[in-house]
Amino acid sequence: MGATVVLLAAGQTWAEGLAGAPRGGAGGAPPGAGGGGARAAPLLAGHRLIGIDWSQDALRRARPRMGAVVRGELEHGGLPLADGCADAVLFSEILEHLVDPDQALDELRRILKPGGHLMLSTPNLAAWYNRALLLAGVQPVFSEVSLRGIHGRPGSEVVGHLRLYTARALRSFLTASGFEDVKITGAPFHGVPRPLRLVDRAACAVPGAASILLAHARRR
């Protein structure tokens, strides 16, 4: 049996990396087990998977593809897991939705073993197109000013983003939250218009300008 992996969120990208990690060297805990976390499960064969979600329906859908599913959330009492139980945490597309991200990282750090891996993804406020939009006086992509509709930015869907990070801010935040060896890389965004997707992929070579930030850090 490999490492203990706790899944929170849609962690397809990081799941691919974790699947190639040395056995026993990484495990994870991401929210959103019923969505991307469950889709990532086949990529994590050989590891012990624990999916976490608040939705009973999501847990029901995730159960056939995971070793264990647990109902819980980062806020209002924390995760129903023991201290230091996870080799790694896969935390994808969640941070930007949280009212209290400090509490969330404290909780993830609690369940990680010393030296355990945190693998996190979140939209980049300073994505290459957002820099151009701001210069033109347009609200950046990923940001929202209302829960009822889109105002002043491209797109048509309200997704509930409360906090956005640049690569510099994310690195500083993780370090201040008790993590070390923070490495930031970039990933493309599926919502970029097709004619611009090659540019979006090329921007990943400069993580600070990429659409999505991928952070890998270890618990101090």
Side-chain angles (χ1 to χ4, degrees), residues 4-17:
T4 297
V5 178
V6 184
L7 301 175
L8 296 100
Q12 184 81 10
T13 302
W14 272 122
E16 291 171 352

Side-chain angles (χ1 to χ4, degrees), residues 27-43:
R39 291 193 297 272
L43 300 173

Side-chain angles (χ1 to χ4, degrees), residues 7-215:
L7 301 175
L8 296 100
Q12 184 81 10
T13 302
W14 272 122
E16 291 171 352
L18 192 59
R23 293 293 177 86
R39 291 193 297 272
L43 300 173
L44 295 166
H47 297 296
R48 177 174 180 258
L49 305 183
I50 302 175
I52 300 177
D53 207 302
W54 181 250
S55 165
Q56 292 284 17
D57 181 62
L59 294 176
R60 177 185 56 78
R61 288 185 283 110
R63 186 169 288 110
R65 289 172 283 182
M66 292 192 179
V69 294
V70 179
R71 189 168 189 252
E73 59 179 340
L74 285 165
E75 299 172 312
H76 308 107
L79 300 173
L81 297 174
D83 294 359
C85 68
D87 296 288
V89 168
L90 180 59
F91 191 57
S92 178
E93 310 302 317
I94 291 292
L95 191 63
E96 62 272 16
H97 296 275
L98 298 177
V99 173
D100 189 349
D102 300 277
Q103 178 185 345
L105 287 188
D106 286 347
E107 185 65 3
L108 296 182
R109 188 174 183 277
R110 180 186 68 80
I111 67 172
L112 275 170
K113 297 176 181 179
H117 299 264
L118 171 65
M119 290 164 283
L120 175 157
S121 70
T122 191
N124 183 10
L125 176 60
W128 61 274
Y129 41 81
N130 280 345
R131 301 180 188 213
L133 290 173
L134 280 170
L135 286 174
V138 178
Q139 187 80 11
V141 174
F142 307 125
S143 67
E144 295 181 332
V145 300
S146 169
L147 295 177
R148 297 179 179 177
I150 298 301
H151 302 284
R153 73 157 171 84
S156 59
E157 182 182 4
V158 176
V159 292
H161 290 172
L162 302 179
R163 302 182 184 277
L164 293 175
Y165 301 81
T166 64
R168 179 179 298 181
L170 183 60
R171 182 187 303 276
S172 176
F173 181 38
L174 290 174
T175 301
S177 299
F179 295 89
E180 60 185 2
D181 298 331
V182 180
K183 297 178 177 62
I184 306 288
T185 56
F189 174 49
H190 65 83
V192 169
R194 188 175 298 275
L196 297 176
R197 289 181 183 175
L198 285 179
V199 177
D200 194 44
R201 288 188 174 276
C204 295
V206 182
S211 287
I212 305 296
L213 300 173
L214 306 178

